[in-house]
Each structure stands twice: as structure tokens, then as C-alpha cells.
Amino acid sequence: MIKTFTKPIFHLLLITIMLCCSVVSYAQNKQITLAVALDAVSKKYNTKFAYRHGIIENKFTPIESLKAKTLDEALKRILYPNNLLFLYVSEGNYTIIPKDDELLNKQAAAQDNNDSGDSFITGQVLDESGNPMPGVTIKSDGSNSSVITNADGNFSFFVPKIARILGFSYLGYDRNEVALNGTSKKLSVTLKPSAGNNLDEVVISTGYQDISPERSTGSVVSVTKKQLEQVPVANVVQRLESLIPGVKVSITAGDNSFAYKNTQLGINSGTRSVGRADYDMTIRGTSSLVGEKFPLVVVDGAISQLDLSALNPNDIENITFLKDASAASIWGVRAANGVIVVTTKKGGLNQAPSISFSTTASVSGKPDLNYLHTMTSAQQIAYEQELVNKSIVSTPNAAIALGQPIAEVTDLTFKLKAGTITQAQYDAQISQYSAIDSREQISKYILQPAASQQYNLSVGGGGTANSYFYSASYSKERPNTVGNEARRLTVTLNNTFKLFKKATLTTNFKGSFFNYVNEGVGLSSFYYPSSFTFMPYNQIVDDNGNRVGRSNHYYSGWTNTLASKGFLNWNYNPLDELDNADNVQKENNYSFNANLNVPIFKGLSLNAFYNNERSFGNFRQYYNENTYYYRDFLNGFTPVPLTGTAVNSIGLTPGGGILNQSTTTTNNYTIRGQLNYDNTFAGKHQLTVIAGSEIRQTQVGQGVSTLYGYNTGTGISRQVNYFTGYPSVAGYTSGLGGSPTQQDKTRRYLSYYSNAGYTYNGKYTISASARYDDYNNFGVDRKFRATPLWSAGLKWNVAKESFLQSQDWISNLNIRATYGVNGNIATDLYPYTYIGLGSADYPTGLPYASIISPANPELRWEKTYVTNFGIDIGALNNRLGLTADIYRKHGKDIFAMFPLNGTYGVTTLTRNSSELVGKGIDLGLRGTIYNNKDWDVTSILNFAYNTNKVTDSRFPATSSLYSNPAYATYLDGYATDKMFVYKNAGLDATGMTQIYDENGVIVPASRNITSVNALVYAGRTSAPYFGSFNTTVRFREFTLMAIATYQFGNVFLRPTISSYPSSRLGVSYDLHEDVAKRWQKAGDEATTNVPGVAGVYAGQSLLRYQQSDINVLKGDYIRLRELSLSYKIPVAKITNAVKAANFAFAVRNLGLLWTANKEGLDPDFTTSLNNRTMGLPATVSYNFTLNVNF
Amino acid sequence: MRSIYKYIVFSMAALTFSGCEKYVDIKTQGNLVPSQTINYRYLLNNTNGFEANPNLSDFASNDINITDASQLSTLTSLNYNYFLNSYTWQNVIFPLGTTAEQDLSWNAAYAVVLNCNTIINELPTSDGTEAEKAALTAEALVHRADAYLALVNNYAKPYNANTAATDLGVPLLLEQTVSQKLNRATVKAIYDQIIADLLRAIPALPVTQAYNTLPSLASAYGELARCYLYMNDYVNASRYADLALEQRSTINDLSALTLVNSTNYPRRITDPEILLSKVPYGGGVSYTPTALKLSDEFLALLGTQDQRYTLFTVPASTISTLYTGRYSYKERAIGETRNEGPSVPEMTLIRAEAFARAGDYNNAMLWVNRLRIKRFKTADYVPLTATSANDALVKVIDERRREFFGIALRWWDMRRLKNEALFTRTYTRVANGVTYTLAPNSDRYTFPIAGYLRQLNPELEANP
């Protein structure tokens, strides 16, 4: 007869009886019966025990057992020697069972027959890979109470007798229902990810902890590896472009992924430097005016200072975007821009090695030079003739040294004027020039179709006590510019070890190795407006196949006279440069993490974390003696001799060159100790707390040196003097650049942080976090540094309320609200007199320092107060999903630079006093529109709205707004990216731009305007509405996917002429086709708005034309980013050696489906010719991917 | 297992409680730690931070005469407008609301003052020895005196002993705060401060410095001599000029040169003639539109035999094909900005003027000739003689013009001499067809205070 005494009265009665007996019988022997012992324990710890009556009979324990310090200890001492075990049921309730397991089952079976008691069920929930699943909600059909699995996926639960079904649910997983058949009381339940559902495998990682999405109050979006795999580009940046509502990824380079225009770390830059001209990313708009605006990047738990291109996208398990204060404030002062948390893949326990191989190849067309809208040769020739005839360019004189270069037609026209050539000679040359279109040769010799290859191999698996994931990848990229190439090798070694059956040690090792060859001649060297711009009628190679050299530094008439005096050839030809360039950058990055997790006691565990990230970069630029750089440099240091042969004053002899080198090293570490507590009480109260402290150091060093006369064969260079200077071609002494420097910057951070979350009954969650940061460069006094940042959040899981239980169509409904403060720092601001150390004073060569800013004792950290309301809806078994967030970011104490009276010694001072209010909406809508065995149609729509406003009365309209309205700084009451323009009033009779003032009166170019009302508010330059639309259609093994991105509501200035030549600016040729539309003679003003080139106010007039309302275009567009078709090869029918294989063909950069401007301009590529990092719109690229799993 | 726990718990405890504040108390390279004396040495080494003097006077003096339409036209454009405004003695030089509303000359001079004030006031709390600190403070005091002397001679009335106690000078900032009131001190207060600073500096100044950019004893004497000269106190001016010459008296010998370039002419920072190197704001070699075209009247005074004509001026064609006449060229020739700080020739001519003012015209000419003998080819050199004290004075002033063309001193001289009968003149010039006049009692001898500065701090009084 087995009986369980769960009812207190019976229990009490029994124990009282037992107590009496035992005291009498066994006191002298100091042994007591188990019944007595348990009763004593029960009273002492207010616990209840359930056990089969017979199992404690005739068993004894020494009375000392009761002296144990804890309940656990006491029970162990009492029960273990008697071959009994105790099981935790709920707070204060334990079941005692014999060590023999079978008895438990018998006991459970017997319980069903017991009318009075509930069924007691224990078990574990596992995911499809056999890993325990914490946070799974378990509920029977017999009552409304539910429990949640603990950190090990275990649960124990009293189920009412009437219950027949036990349901297991977890967001993103199919609900599993287990029938209670009365035989199995120890369940092992496996949950499978929901089909046709992008929320699978969702883990929210803050970098400090993983939280189940159900219990996260913050605005957090997680991107899975599956989503990342859709885009076949070697850089994760491109893969993120359309995935997350509210995250704006701007790709401003069309032809590359990681072969950035700048790949070198700027040691003195206050913001990121690598890849800045190629892409940008913001989470919920701008949070700062002068500080870093890029989100914080965390990789496997540690802040990474490396660019995202160092990551192999195929290694990424998931990326979590922390968008609001509640999610991000755990990262303290760097969190105001949002946080990107990257987690790399791990192997699963007890899995056979799984090998995955993939390769991608892509090719794309040459970019279209017509997009630059340059003049034809005939137009350019006519323009130059006007420049000469109107005396805008001064007459060249071969006898005068150092005259600036002029274009061939300009020179020719002067020669005609001077009578040194005949009209017939002139006409013949002009007609020859008119037939040339330089774009043909530029395209032929300088541009190439971009191409790239990626290979990726990974293996993952694990045994009983360890798991591993190893990968290697190789990517090669050849951008559009001939001579440039980038290669990347990445290696990842991730291991997880179970130590002593309890502790877990996770290690991550990542290496990325880059090799950039930057020997190309950039397009801007042809088109950048200067006195030696490559003219539409210029050739790289002439009709006879000879390379054409042009004089780029001085007037060719003068430099031609120097050759006979012993000067080096002073002409430039781009193909010669391509042949001679030797410009290679190598970069090795390593990152190592170790994370030890030791469970201490019931839900309490301890983490020790260490991360070290190191990089070694070497940038080497060798100019051999045939390069233009070398010849130009050496000629510059060769005084013109009165007689005899010229000799360079530095003493360089043939055989050597100039070697510029820069070596960059970084070494950053993080050490963290953290206590985690995660426990569930009484099946209803789930508490998670983390607290820790962290120290972090960043170290960056950069050494730059130049070796003159360096001989690659001998390795020897010539010693030079950097400070006394050498006689130059100009007749005076010039200093030699390139004195070796070495900079080393170490920064340290100390932080304390804590985060707590409490969930009641799986329905109501409150969370709070706080962090205190200290940084060595922020203030001499700790009071300047000490700013605790905090947040709090609430979440209501409405779907779990009983009133919605009957609504089957709702599978998920959460309402969230959070509030908190995030910080931001500027690494270049100080409250005391900021004295910056220079290297060497120019004239004296002494070490020097300068006052960068006077003392500003009131300096504080920027704070951004973020309020977020969110709702998550899942309907129809999560086939339809909606996540919406509305937020307000109120930045206070935002740093801004204000004008100051120059009498104080500086004209601006950065203070924290501005307010920046941002508002927005993030919306993600996902739907499985249709699915059955053969078909799957899924669509995702992301939408974001973001705006901001600067409020500060110290940003009044100033002269810089009146004189340069489109690019002026902040204005009180307007967004940070506002744009003002002039009201164009056409041209006057002399061809000068006129504008209207605030009263509608016409203002000539010679007069300034003085009121903001004279300007037109054109709008914002970054789009307030943006997002993406993805659709995937699967038919059997074929999947077709389309990714479109869109933006609405912004404006941009149409690219036009950037400058005209003038006697002040000197000769500078801008080739934009608008030049051909310029005013040339009285009367032209009736037909054109493009101002004339002549006149004192021509510069001002051009600027007003550039920045007037007639040049404002709308930036709205819908872009078809990618179309792909993939085929899942049915390998099972062919071979057993391969588990799965996939082939995909993707076409990227298909162009704009729709755009508001009718000029054929891509609003993402609207820079004028005078932009050094000018990018052309990406051409269509074709990508082939093969993926095989063994 | 136990030991691992212990280790982790111990290291966490260590991390949390011990020495954490010290962890972040480190210095990042490139950012100096406040309160170290060496910082201030480095600050004083920053040539750029101390060398600039106002350049407004460059165009205002009668040594200059811009006539070519091409040059005038460029100077009319908004960015160069202020050169033309100072050239035509306008009452507004930096029109408020334009791109050129900032008085960069004023700002540069006060940037020097900020540097000096920071050093003078922060040094006492730094860690060095008293002697070190006194020496550095002394250098800053000399720079500050020079900055105020330049400011008061540009933006305030010329010194007049009778009215100096009430004439408005410039704001006298002696502390490096950014919130103080900017009311102008009197001319007398400024001069008193200059003299006090220099006298305070003298005991601690080094006798020699490696470069002319760093104040030495001779610099302080030179500044004092100059200061007293512009206070019309010729006795004291002469006294300090003498003390300066005791320290340094080399005059570069031009007699044997056929051209100057950077190889045969000393660099500014080591030029033995220079007692303290100061340059007009804007640095560098004059850019073409702002090239200094010399007036015919000045060229006549200079004469063509003078080596300073041969070596330091060039025909316009060297500058631009569109220009005519002759241009100041010394800085282009030697590749450096022209010095306008106190020099041996200036001390020599101060001594000469003091003799002339005292009636000793022979001695006056003796001192003038000490300079001139180095300024002509030996064959061309003829000693000057004077027939009276006034004659000597005129010749001394003429020699100052020949020696100091293209730098601020000519304008300062025009100011201090405008009411002396011997030198009283009404100047006129024509630009873009308009004739401009500068009468002896004109307010335009004092440059206006920029409207932009007055807009930010209305307490800063305007000039009439």
C-alpha cells in the first residue's frame, strides 16, 4: 500500500505520533527515526514532504544530521545514507523517493488512482538538436496555472486530475501537446521550430546574457543565420541592409563589399575611419551632433573595435539589434546609438560532425561613365575658348617658373592669340580634339567588370562533454577599378567544454587576414576639377599607341624647358602609374574569447569572461623612380640651375625610390566577472538577475615613416634631415615631409552593471538595468565621469491571459513599455584646458603642444532618454506576425559647438547644452501568405519612420546659413539634416544668379541676404520613411526571392558645376554638362539659369545657383536590390554521401524600380565631380552559389 | 573544483573592490596630464600659437598703392573684401552677416593672449621648480606684452599722455576664462600692463634661446624700447634699445649679395637681426591677390641703388601677368613670412630717433648710417648727413620706412606722427574709381571693432 500524505493534517498527525515514539525509543543511542528527523526539518524550514509511507520505515539517522546548516545539507545527511533521494517539486515541497528509479514510476502510476491529489509530473524539454530549452511555458487543459522550464530545461508540475493534455509552447516553436495517459510521469518533450516562420531559432543576446524573447521587455530584433544567408555578399553589412525595421544601412559604394576606399585606421579620428566612404549604419536616426554616431558592435560578448568586414558572415548564428534604452543601457555610455550584438555559431552536443561547404562567384558589368553627365569635347573646347577670350585664365608664360598648368585647348587658344600658331594649325588641332570622347579610353583602361569569389568550409559537432564549430573562408574581390584587389581569409574556432559535469567553458577564436592591393588609378583623378582635369578630348594612349603624358603640376611650357637642364620627366600618364604602382596593405586580426560559467547553487552561476582582440596592419606604398610621385617629388627639390645640370638637393641617386610605411597595431582586452541568477519559484515566479563588473583597455599604435632613396634590392635608404629643409625648385627652402612618428594611445574603462527581470506566471515581466561607467579621459575628477545610466521596462504577455485562451487565432500578443537613459561620450572633449601634443613644431622642430580648447568645467556626458512602446502580435499559429514600436529619444546635454567671442582666444567652444528630440516608428510585418506541401509564399515588410529636431536657442540663423544654406550647421527648431536653399530668381543681364529676399525683392550676387525668411526650407536630406519588402515563393525545391528597399520623403541637391575658374581660385575645370548651358552673352538669361563664368561675383553666383530651389530634387525611390532563385538539389535520390545541397542564382543591384526624380539620378549617388570618394551606382551583378552539407 | 571557485570569487572580489579607480587613472598619449610643467614648455614651443600679429595695417599704410584693375577686382570679392576695406580706411571692415564677418587679426592676437594667460595662471600650480616656472612665465609675459602692444596700436587711439587715461584701449584679459565681461580698458591701462609684464619677465628670462620664436632677454628689452617709442617716451625707448643692443647687435650685411634666397639669407627663426620673431596673421608668402604693391612715392624714397630695392622687391611680372609696378618680395625670396617683431635695425633706428629728438643730429645720423652701410653695395654707399635736428628726424623716419616696408610698423608710425607738424599729411588713394581720404584727425587711424564681436558681447564698446 502506497500512500502519500500531502494533506497537512494527516501529515502532522503522523509525525506527532512518530515523534513521540522515537524520542522514547532512541534518544539514548542518539539515533532518531527518519520520520522524526523529517518532521523536525519540516518545522525548521517550513517545508512539506511527500513520500510513500513504507519507504522511511525502520530507517534511522544520527541526531547530528539535524544540525546541518541548510535544508539541502540536512536532507542529504538524513536521506542519502538510507538510499533515499529527494526531488524538488516547488518552493517548500519535496518528494522523497528510493534511489531505485522504477519505484518513481510506480508511484506516479499510482497517483492517478488517487482521487484526492493532483498528478505530479516532471520532465525536460529539449530543442530539435537535443539542447535543453529554458523558458518553455507548460500548461495543462485542467487549470490556468502554468510553469516554465528552468535553465536546464527541467520542470516539475502538479497537474489536476481532470487534465488530459499538457501543452508546451515557446515562441517560434510549434506547440507540442502531450496526452496524459497516466503511465509516463517523467516526460522528455522535444519542440520543433515552427515551419514557414522566420522567428525560428530566435535568441536574444544582449552580449551579457541570453534572454528568451518572451521575457524581453526591450525593443530588440534578432536576425538569424537563415535571413543572413539570403544575400550572397562577403560582408555582413550588405546582408543587413533590408532586414531590420529602423536600422538604416546606407551602401554608398556600389562595386565592392570589403575592398573599401579607406581600409586604414585613423588613430586620431574621433569616429570610425575604415569603410566610412563605403557604408554607414544608424539605428533609429541620429543621437549625437559631434560624437560617434555608429552603433556599438559587440561580438561574442565583447566590444569589437574591428570593422564588420572582419567577420565571416557564414559564421554568424544570429545578430541582435538593441534599439531602445531597456535593451541597450546595459552597455552604458556607448549605447545611445544602439547596439549590434553578433553571436557566432557553435556545435551541438552529441552530434556527428556536420560539414558544410559553399562557394559563390559573382560578376558585374562596368560602371557607366555617362552617369557623371560630363561635357562633350566640343562643349569643353567652346568653354575653354570663352575662358581665354574673357581673360578668366591668365596668359601662360613659359619663361616664368611655377606657373599653373592649363588644359591643351586653353594653351592652344592663347598661342593662336599670341600668333605663335596659325588659324589653320589651330583649326586642325581642334577638329582632331572634337572627335575624341575620353570616356572610351577611361572605361577601356581604367575600369573593369567587378568580380568576386567566396569559399567557405565549416565543420560542427560534438561529443558528450564538448562541442565545436570550426570554419575557414576565403574571399577575393576585384572592384571596378583596374589595379585594385582585396583578399580575405577568415578562420573561426569555437569550442564548448563541459567541465566537471557542471561548469561550461566556451572559447572563441577568430582570425581574419586581409590583403589589399590598391594600385588603381581612381576615377576622381580624372574628373576632380583642377587645373589638370582629364579633358573630354584627352587621350591616355594616342592614335599611334603611345602613352600621352600631361604636365600636372606646373605649366607644360615651363616644365618642357627643364628636361634639357637635367630634370626628370615631369609628365603624368595613368597607365605608367598602373604599371609602376606598388601599394599593398596587409592586416591580420585576431580575437580570442574565453567564457567560463560555473553553476554555484540553485540557479546561481558565475561567469568569468576574457576577451582579447589584436590587429596588426601594415600599409606600404613604394614609389619607384618611374612613378610620377617620385619624379614630381624629386623635381620639386631640384633648384633650377643658372648653368650646368640640375641636381636634386636631397642627394637622391638613381636606383632608389620612396617608401611610405605605416604600421598599425591594436590590442584591446576585456575582463569581466558576472553573477547570474535564474530561478523559478513555485512555478510562477521567474527571476533573472545578472550583476558584474568589467574592465576594458584599448590600445592602438600607429607608426608612420618614409624612407627616401630606398632601394628594394639592398634595403638601404638615404638619411635625410627633416627640419632644416632643402632648396626647392621654387628657389627657397622647403621642409621635407615624412619625419617618422609613432603614436600610441591607451584608453581604459571600468564599469559596474546589473540587470534584473522578473516574470510572474509567464505573463507579466518587469525589468530594470543600471550601469556605471568610468573612463580615463573623461575628467580629472570622478564627479565628471560618474554617471549611472539606467532603464526599466514592462511587458504583458496578453496571449497567456485566460480571456484570450479561447481565441485560437491569436498565437502571440505582447505589449511592452520601456524607459531609460543611454549615454554617449566624445573621446576628444575634456573639462580642463585641453592641451593637445603635436609632434614637431614646424619652423623649429621642437616638440610642441597647443590649446585645443579652453577649460570647460561644466562638461558632462551626453544623455539620451528613450521611451519605447511596443506590441508584438502573432496570429494564425504565428503565420502572421507584426512587431511595432513607437519611440521618443530625448537627448539632453548633447555636445555642440557654439560660437564664442574671439576675444576669449577661441571662436567656438563645444559645450553640452543642446537638446535633440527624435521620434519614430519601427514596424515589421511578416506573413506566410500561403503554404502547403509544395508551396510557400512568405512576405516581410519593414517600415520605419524617424525624425529629429534640434532645440537650442544658441543655434540662430547665422551668416554661414545665409552664405551656404544647404550645408550650414544646425538651426534651432529644425532637424539635424535640414536643408535650406535660395529662392532662385534667374540670371541678371550680366549672367549672375539672382535670388529673392524675404520680401520677394531680387537680390544680386554681390549682396548678402540677412534673414532666414529669404531662404526656402527644402526638407531633410536623409529619408524619414524607409524600409524594405521581401517576398519568398517556394515551389517544391525551387525558391524565388525578391528584396526591394525603399525610401521616401527626403530631398537632395542635383549635382551640378562645383566650381568655375577665377583669378582667385586659379584655373579649375569642372566638366559637368551644366557648364555647356552657362550664360555666355546678354540675352542668354532668357533661356538658362546656369550663371556665367566671368565677373567678380561669378563664384558667389555659382554657389547660389548650386544651392537654389531649382536644383532640389526628391530622393524617394524603390530599389530592387536582389532577385534570387535557389534550387534544393534532391540529393537523397542520388547519393547518401551528401546530406543536402543547394544551388542559387542571384541578381543584385537591379536598379531603381521607381524614383521621384525624372533626371535619371540615383538618390544614393548624388555627389558632384569634386567629391574625392565619388561613387558610381552599382551595376547589375550576377551571383552563383553552391552549398553542400555532408 | 573548490580551488576554481576560490580563484574566481577571489578575482571577482579583487576586481570589484581593490584599486579600480586607479585602473582608469592612466594617461593617454597625445593628451597631456594637467599640472605638469613640461606641458607649458611644449605650449611655448608652439610657434604658431604666439607669432601672429594683426595684419590689417598691411594695406592701410601709404607704402602700398593698389592700382591694377585685376587685383582690385579680386579684392572686391567677398572673401578678400576686408583687405580692400582696410586699404580704403572704411569704418566697417568686417560687415556683419557676410562670410568675412570675423576679424581674424583680432582673434589671432587674443588667441596668443589665451595661451599666455593659461601659462601664466596655470603654471604656479604645476609640479616644476620655482626657477623653471618663473622662466616659462617670463616667456609668456613677453608674448602677452607683444600681443597687447599690437592690439592697442591697431584698435585704439595712438598714445597721448594727456588722454591715455580715458581713451578706450582694448579688453584687458588676464585670465583664461570664457565668461568674463569684455569692456575695454583704457589705453594707459594697456600700456601699464605691457610695461609691468615686461619688467616682471626680465629677471627670469634666459639670455639666449635656440630660436627667435622664443623670448629671450633681448626680446623683452626690444619690446620695451618699442613700447616706449609708441608712448613717445624717447628717453626710455633709447635706454631699452641700448640694453637690447647690448644683448644682440648684428645687422645682416647685404652689400655683397646679388640675390637673396633661402641659402644665403638667414632663416627667420635664427636670423641674428631678429630679437623676437612675430609675423602678420595669415602667415606664409603673400598670395597673389594680396601681394603688396609698393607706392610710387615709397619707391622714389627707397631709390634703385638700395640693396633692399634690388633684393627685396620685384617687378609685377614676377607675380602676375595682369599686374604692373613693383611688389614687395622679401618673403617669397627667402620662403618665409616677413618678421615684424623687434629687431636690431629697429633698435638702431630707435636710438637714432632718440638722438634726433634730443637735438643731437650728428649722433642720430651716426646710428642711421650704422644700418645703411649694411644696406648698399660698397660702391654705392654714401653716408647720410643732417643739417638740423628736424632734418635728422625726417631722415630717421624715412629710413624706418625703407627698412620696415610691408610690415605693420609704417602704419603705427603714421599714427604716432600724424599730429607732428613735420609729418602731418592728408593721405588719399583711389580704388575702383572712388577717392578715399585720410585726414590727420580722422577716426580711421583706429580700426573699427568688428560688429560680430560686439553682437556676441554688447559691452564691448565700439570705436567712433
Side-chain angles (χ1 to χ4, degrees), chain B residues 149-215:
Chain B
L149 187 59
L151 281 164
V152 80
N153 276 290
N154 277 282
Y155 298 100
K157 284 185 184 167
Y159 185 87
N160 177 336
N162 300 322
T163 59
T166 52
D167 286 342
L168 285 179
V170 290
L172 184 59
L173 272 60
L174 301 174
E175 279 172 2
Q176 69 280 24
T177 70
V178 295
S179 49
Q180 55 195 310
K181 289 275 176 202
L182 297 183
N183 299 78
R184 293 165 66 180
T186 63
V187 169
K188 182 172 185 302
I190 301 288
Y191 275 98
D192 287 350
Q193 185 68 44
I194 293 167
I195 292 166
D197 280 352
L198 291 168
L199 292 177
R200 185 182 148 200
I202 282 169
L205 280 169
V207 174
T208 55
Q209 291 269 24
Y211 300 103
N212 291 330
T213 50
L214 309 174

Side-chain angles (χ1 to χ4, degrees), chain B residues 231-409:
Chain B
M231 291 172 81
N232 310 318
D233 180 345
Y234 308 106
V235 175
N236 272 317
S238 175
R239 188 178 135 223
Y240 284 109
D242 210 28
L243 286 169
L245 291 172
E246 271 177 29
Q247 299 294 326
R248 198 96 71 82
S249 58
T250 312
I251 296 175
N252 294 329
D253 191 352
L254 305 180
S255 64
L257 299 177
T258 51
L259 85 163
V260 290
N261 57 34
S262 51
T263 52
N264 68 0
Y265 196 86
R267 298 182 66 202
R268 186 177 77 247
I269 57 167
T270 49
D271 187 340
E273 268 187 3
I274 298 175
L275 303 178
L276 181 63
S277 170
K278 292 286 172 183
V279 298
Y281 170 77
V285 175
S286 263
Y287 186 61
T288 315
T290 57
L292 297 172
K293 181 178 179 174
L294 301 169
S295 65
D296 292 345
E297 183 255 344
F298 170 71
L299 287 168
L301 179 75
L302 183 58
T304 55
Q305 298 297 310
D306 199 310
Q307 281 288 72
R308 290 169 293 200
Y309 174 86
T310 325
L311 303 174
F312 299 152
T313 73
V314 289
S317 59
T318 316
I319 309 258
S320 164
T321 49
L322 300 172
Y323 292 0
T324 61
R326 203 159 176 97
Y327 280 77
S328 170
Y329 201 68
K330 181 179 183 181
E331 50 195 324
R332 280 273 282 262
I334 60 171
E336 290 194 280
T337 312
R338 54 201 187 271
N339 168 59
E340 58 185 27
S343 63
V344 174
E346 188 183 349
M347 296 303 115
T348 307
L349 294 176
I350 287 174
R351 291 281 282 151
E353 183 169 344
F355 278 116
R357 296 270 182 192
D360 186 351
Y361 55 86
N362 285 327
N363 252 324
M365 286 302 103
L366 190 74
W367 279 89
V368 169
N369 288 328
R370 279 187 181 179
L371 173 65
R372 284 177 63 86
I373 195 165
K374 304 285 177 69
R375 295 300 187 236
F376 288 85
K377 285 182 185 159
T378 317
D380 295 333
Y381 174 68
V382 182
L384 282 186
T385 55
T387 53
S388 67
N390 276 352
D391 184 33
L393 185 57
V394 169
K395 287 188 161 120
V396 170
I397 298 299
D398 284 348
E399 198 56 37
R400 283 180 69 92
R401 290 188 67 183
R402 292 188 199 101
E403 186 63 26
F404 304 136
F405 68 82
I407 63 172
L409 292 186

Side-chain angles (χ1 to χ4, degrees), chain A residues 385-433:
Chain A
Q385 288 165 339
E386 187 190 355
L387 294 179
V388 174
N389 295 333
K390 290 191 173 162
S391 297
I392 291 156
V393 179
S394 42
T395 318
N397 186 342
I400 293 181
L402 316 179
Q404 68 179 327
I406 50 172
E408 286 77 355
V409 170
T410 313
D411 196 21
L412 217 55
T413 312
F414 274 119
K415 281 180 182 157
L416 177 69
K417 239 178 141 181
T420 53
I421 57 167
T422 66
Q423 184 70 42
Q425 284 172 314
Y426 181 80
D427 292 343
Q429 188 64 53
I430 292 294
S431 82
Q432 212 178 330
Y433 279 150

Side-chain angles (χ1 to χ4, degrees), chain A residues 1013-1036:
Chain A
N1013 296 326
L1015 299 167
V1016 183
Y1017 174 63
R1020 294 180 50 199
T1021 55
S1022 61
Y1025 306 94
F1026 61 95
S1028 65
F1029 182 69
N1030 285 18
T1031 299
T1032 311
V1033 179
R1034 180 187 67 82
F1035 172 67
R1036 290 191 182 150

Side-chain angles (χ1 to χ4, degrees), chain A residues 144-156:
Chain A
N144 270 333
S145 71
S146 60
V147 292
I148 290 170
T149 53
N150 69 8
D152 303 320
N154 291 323
F155 69 94
S156 50

Side-chain angles (χ1 to χ4, degrees), chain A residues 391 394-395 397 400 499-500 502-503 596 598-600 606-608 669 671-675 691-697 723-724 727 730-733 742-750 752 774-777 780 782 785 827 830 832-837 841-851 854-855 899-907 909 911 958-960 962-963 1005-1006 1008-1010 1063-1066 1096-1097 1100, chain B residues 1 4-5 8-9 12 15-17 20-34 39-48 51 70 73-74 76-81 96-99 101-102 106-107 110-115 118 122 171 173 176-182 210-211 213-214 260-263 267-269 285 287-289 317-318 320-322 331-336 452-454 456-457 459-460:
Chain A
S391 297
S394 42
T395 318
N397 186 342
I400 293 181
L499 303 177
F500 311 110
K502 272 187 150 184
L596 179 69
V598 184
I600 298 175
L606 196 146
N607 260 55
Y669 69 78
I671 298 172
R672 184 187 299 158
Q674 180 175 313
L675 281 168
S693 73
E694 173 180 287
I695 53 174
R696 192 161 77 86
Q697 173 173 300
F723 294 108
T724 52
Y732 48 77
T733 302
Q742 172 68 41
Q743 296 187 74
D744 288 293
K745 290 182 189 267
T746 305
R747 298 186 171 93
R748 281 183 175 177
Y749 304 80
L750 162 69
Y752 303 99
D774 201 346
Y775 164 51
N776 80 304
N777 277 332
V780 273
R782 278 179 78 82
R785 322 192 279 221
T827 51
Y830 305 91
Y832 45 86
T833 306
Y834 177 13
I835 300 177
L837 193 59
D841 178 59
Y842 165 59
T844 64
L846 298 170
Y848 79 100
S850 52
I851 295 180
L900 197 66
N901 196 311
T903 314
Y904 295 119
V906 285
T907 53
L909 183 67
R911 307 180 200 176
T958 60
S959 62
S960 76
Y962 303 144
S963 61
S1006 57
N1008 288 293
I1009 55 160
T1010 50
S1063 51
R1064 179 169 71 84
L1065 294 170
V1096 173
Y1097 295 104
Q1100 175 87 349
Chain B
M1 195 64 191
I4 289 177
Y5 282 136
I8 294 167
V9 171
M12 264 196 67
L15 196 65
T16 317
F17 301 112
C20 277
E21 298 184 12
K22 275 187 192 154
Y23 178 77
V24 287
D25 280 343
I26 60 153
K27 165 183 165 182
T28 299
Q29 190 193 66
N31 306 328
L32 296 178
V33 174
N39 296 352
Y40 303 98
R41 173 72 268 162
Y42 291 155
L43 262 185
L44 283 161
N45 286 352
N46 179 15
T47 303
N48 205 17
E51 230 185 0
S70 156
S73 147
T74 316
T76 307
S77 74
L78 290 172
N79 293 13
Y80 284 92
N81 210 246
L96 193 59
T98 68
T99 46
E101 65 187 351
Q102 287 268 20
W106 172 285
N107 292 349
Y110 272 106
V112 174
V113 172
L114 169 70
N115 275 330
T118 304
E122 285 188 8
L173 272 60
Q176 69 280 24
T177 70
V178 295
S179 49
Q180 55 195 310
K181 289 275 176 202
L182 297 183
Y211 300 103
T213 50
L214 309 174
V260 290
N261 57 34
S262 51
T263 52
R267 298 182 66 202
R268 186 177 77 247
I269 57 167
V285 175
Y287 186 61
T288 315
S317 59
T318 316
S320 164
T321 49
L322 300 172
E331 50 195 324
R332 280 273 282 262
I334 60 171
E336 290 194 280
Y452 182 84
L453 298 169
R454 303 214 327 106
L456 286 173
N457 289 67
E459 73 274 17
L460 179 59

Side-chain angles (χ1 to χ4, degrees), chain A residues 690-750:
Chain A
I690 62 166
S693 73
E694 173 180 287
I695 53 174
R696 192 161 77 86
Q697 173 173 300
T698 66
Q699 227 172 26
V700 53
Q702 196 166 63
V704 179
S705 64
T706 305
L707 301 182
Y708 293 95
Y710 176 76
N711 182 309
T712 48
T714 62
I716 295 168
S717 69
R718 192 185 162 82
Q719 197 169 357
V720 292
N721 188 329
Y722 294 104
F723 294 108
T724 52
Y726 293 91
S728 70
V729 69
Y732 48 77
T733 302
S734 277
L736 200 62
S739 72
T741 59
Q742 172 68 41
Q743 296 187 74
D744 288 293
K745 290 182 189 267
T746 305
R747 298 186 171 93
R748 281 183 175 177
Y749 304 80
L750 162 69

